[in-house]
Amino acid sequence: MLCAAMLLPGIAAADDPTVEQQYMLELTNRFRADPQAELSNLVNFSSPGVWDTTKSNDASIAYALNFFGTSASDLASQFSSLTAAPPLAWNSALNVSATTYSNLMVTADQQAHALDGLTLDQRIVNGGYSTNWLEAGENLFASALSPFHAHAAFVVDWGDGNGATAGYGNGIQSPAGHRDLLLNGNMKEIGIGFQDISIPGSNATAIGPYVITEHLASQFRFDGSTYYSDAILTGSVFQDTLLADAFYTPGEGLAGEAINVYNDLTGILVASGFSNSAGGYNITLIGLTEGIVYRVEAPDTGLAARTFTLTEHTENYGVSVLVYDNVYESFAVVPEPGSLLLCLVAGLPLLWFRSRRSFC
């Protein structure tokens, strides 16, 4: 059944995501945690690799799958080999560069990379991101109907010609670059920039209502002898009252909630922070290492503490960088049945662009 779309307005401090941006981040991290399960959240199969009568419970996704003639068997086959990735953390500087670029697409009425004549690394550094960047990637979609619609467009990566009418292609972009970027485990931070200027009624390409740029990146620090890419603890604190689905919904986030991280053995506080105005949090775990159990508490929620251990590995960028994977924890406060039903409502996202640093 088709229901009206409703998204609560985003009210955020300058450095915070809006509630819609936090929602899209939560969707992205749900996808990274379990790609196969996320596909089942987006589309319907009657049997493995066979479309159900209704291809998606979301009308805008179903329309795009039909328009591009997306192959159910190819989509299922591609997803069967996908592997999970650590979560992404919100980065305000990446959001600045992403929002700036979305505004540029609106002004130019184009969906294209490098409209500003800059390289991607120049673009993110101009937005305030660290010059100590390691990797960077960009996804664009200039005609998204909603954050959920954009998320599905990047994850399914529909396109590859209009197979429904032209009789060619499998309705999936080749390569599935948007999807690959969202699952790239070397990416650790993201900014999801919606345009914040008016879209001219004369626009033919950047028509929105959401003109979206995603900037993904990772960075390092150097202590004089070793290059590190520190873990970031990310997640959200929310009261599950709107949909009661054990998942973040715009308007459910709780701001100003303390998040404390302890060495679980010694009880020493090793990191702390607060949830932002959208209910999300992102705490860099500087100096924390593999092999130690850490405890996360959100004391004001009354919920039980969580524990985690870090995973480390080495990446070669011309020099060896010791990388600690991000960690995700969320605290859902007192779930209650809600009365507000959220139903989000084809366009084609643009292939991703990626830079990788080399110290050679």
Side-chain angles (χ1 to χ4, degrees), residues 33-189:
D34 191 339
Q36 291 75 29
E38 188 62 10
L39 183 62
S40 68
N41 290 323
L42 302 177
V43 305
N44 299 325
F45 295 127
S46 61
S47 59
V50 178
W51 290 125
D52 203 347
T53 303
T54 302
K55 294 182 180 179
S56 173
N57 296 332
D58 182 281
S60 65
I61 297 173
Y63 175 83
L65 297 173
N66 287 324
F67 179 83
F68 291 109
T70 302
S71 166
S73 58
D74 285 358
L75 188 64
S77 176
Q78 290 179 13
F79 267 75
S80 68
S81 63
L82 297 181
T83 58
L88 293 169
W90 180 263
N91 183 278
S92 296
L94 292 177
N95 191 53
V96 168
S97 61
T99 301
T100 298
Y101 201 80
S102 288
N103 287 341
L104 178 59
M105 286 197 290
V106 170
T107 301
D109 189 23
Q110 294 185 55
Q111 179 177 276
H113 298 288
L115 291 173
D116 50 10
L118 301 176
T119 61
L120 180 56
D121 54 290
Q122 289 173 326
R123 195 173 303 143
I124 64 174
V125 169
N126 286 350
Y129 196 68
S130 174
T131 55
N132 292 341
W133 63 275
L134 290 170
E135 307 220 16
E138 179 176 274
N139 279 338
L140 307 176
F141 192 15
S143 55
L145 299 181
S146 71
F148 191 65
H149 177 235
H151 171 68
F154 292 141
V155 169
V156 174
D157 225 348
W158 55 60
D160 194 25
N162 184 357
T165 59
Y168 64 89
N170 64 358
I172 305 168
Q173 294 199 50
S174 180
H178 305 91
R179 184 199 305 154
D180 292 343
L181 178 58
L182 290 185
L183 280 180
N184 186 326
N186 290 326
M187 300 296 179
K188 301 181 71 173
E189 298 177 282

Side-chain angles (χ1 to χ4, degrees), residues 40 67 80 115 178 210 213 221-222 235 266 282 315 328 335:
S40 68
F67 179 83
S80 68
L115 291 173
H178 305 91
Y210 292 85
T213 301
R221 65 179 174 88
F222 182 58
T266 66
N282 307 276
E315 292 289 333
Y328 182 90

Side-chain angles (χ1 to χ4, degrees), residues 1-351:
M1 186 175 83
L2 179 65
C3 61
M6 179 175 290
L7 281 174
L8 302 181
I11 301 174
D15 293 336
D16 293 348
T18 67
V19 296
E20 292 170 312
Q21 290 166 331
Q22 182 67 37
Y23 173 62
M24 198 166 178
L25 172 60
E26 296 292 326
L27 291 171
T28 300
N29 280 334
R30 187 173 71 180
F31 170 53
R32 283 170 72 98
D34 191 339
Q36 291 75 29
E38 188 62 10
L39 183 62
S40 68
N41 290 323
L42 302 177
V43 305
N44 299 325
F45 295 127
S46 61
S47 59
V50 178
W51 290 125
D52 203 347
T53 303
T54 302
K55 294 182 180 179
S56 173
N57 296 332
D58 182 281
S60 65
I61 297 173
Y63 175 83
L65 297 173
N66 287 324
F67 179 83
F68 291 109
T70 302
S71 166
S73 58
D74 285 358
L75 188 64
S77 176
Q78 290 179 13
F79 267 75
S80 68
S81 63
L82 297 181
T83 58
L88 293 169
W90 180 263
N91 183 278
S92 296
L94 292 177
N95 191 53
V96 168
S97 61
T99 301
T100 298
Y101 201 80
S102 288
N103 287 341
L104 178 59
M105 286 197 290
V106 170
T107 301
D109 189 23
Q110 294 185 55
Q111 179 177 276
H113 298 288
L115 291 173
D116 50 10
L118 301 176
T119 61
L120 180 56
D121 54 290
Q122 289 173 326
R123 195 173 303 143
I124 64 174
V125 169
N126 286 350
Y129 196 68
S130 174
T131 55
N132 292 341
W133 63 275
L134 290 170
E135 307 220 16
E138 179 176 274
N139 279 338
L140 307 176
F141 192 15
S143 55
L145 299 181
S146 71
F148 191 65
H149 177 235
H151 171 68
F154 292 141
V155 169
V156 174
D157 225 348
W158 55 60
D160 194 25
N162 184 357
T165 59
Y168 64 89
N170 64 358
I172 305 168
Q173 294 199 50
S174 180
H178 305 91
R179 184 199 305 154
D180 292 343
L181 178 58
L182 290 185
L183 280 180
N184 186 326
N186 290 326
M187 300 296 179
K188 301 181 71 173
E189 298 177 282
I190 189 172
I192 305 170
F194 304 157
Q195 85 286 354
D196 57 12
I197 61 175
S198 298
I199 300 175
S202 59
N203 271 18
T205 300
I207 57 175
Y210 292 85
V211 179
I212 298 178
T213 301
E214 294 183 330
H215 281 168
L216 293 83
S218 58
Q219 56 183 300
F220 69 91
R221 65 179 174 88
F222 182 58
D223 70 355
S225 61
T226 304
Y227 292 88
Y228 295 94
S229 181
D230 293 300
I232 304 170
L233 174 65
T234 187
S236 60
V237 184
F238 62 98
Q239 190 164 8
D240 197 20
T241 54
L242 298 182
L243 282 186
D245 59 352
F247 188 75
Y248 180 98
T249 297
E252 291 183 339
L254 298 176
E257 296 290 332
I259 306 295
N260 298 324
V261 183
Y262 300 88
N263 181 309
D264 193 48
L265 178 63
T266 66
I268 295 174
L269 180 69
V270 294
S272 63
F274 293 90
S275 59
N276 58 37
S277 57
Y281 58 86
N282 307 276
I283 303 169
T284 304
L285 304 177
I286 298 176
L288 275 62
T289 60
E290 191 177 61
I292 296 175
V293 177
Y294 298 101
R295 184 175 74 252
V296 186
E297 297 182 359
D300 293 339
T301 67
L303 297 175
R306 317 288 178 81
T307 59
F308 68 87
T309 57
L310 292 181
T311 300
E312 68 177 35
H313 55 96
T314 300
E315 292 289 333
N316 190 341
Y317 292 90
V319 298
S320 294
V321 179
L322 185 59
V323 178
Y324 290 95
D325 291 337
N326 290 351
V327 178
Y328 182 90
E329 298 287 357
S330 276
F331 294 87
V333 181
V334 193
E336 297 176 4
S339 59
L340 176 60
L341 179 64
L342 178 68
C343 181
L344 302 172
V345 293
L348 178 65
L350 193 71
L351 253 164

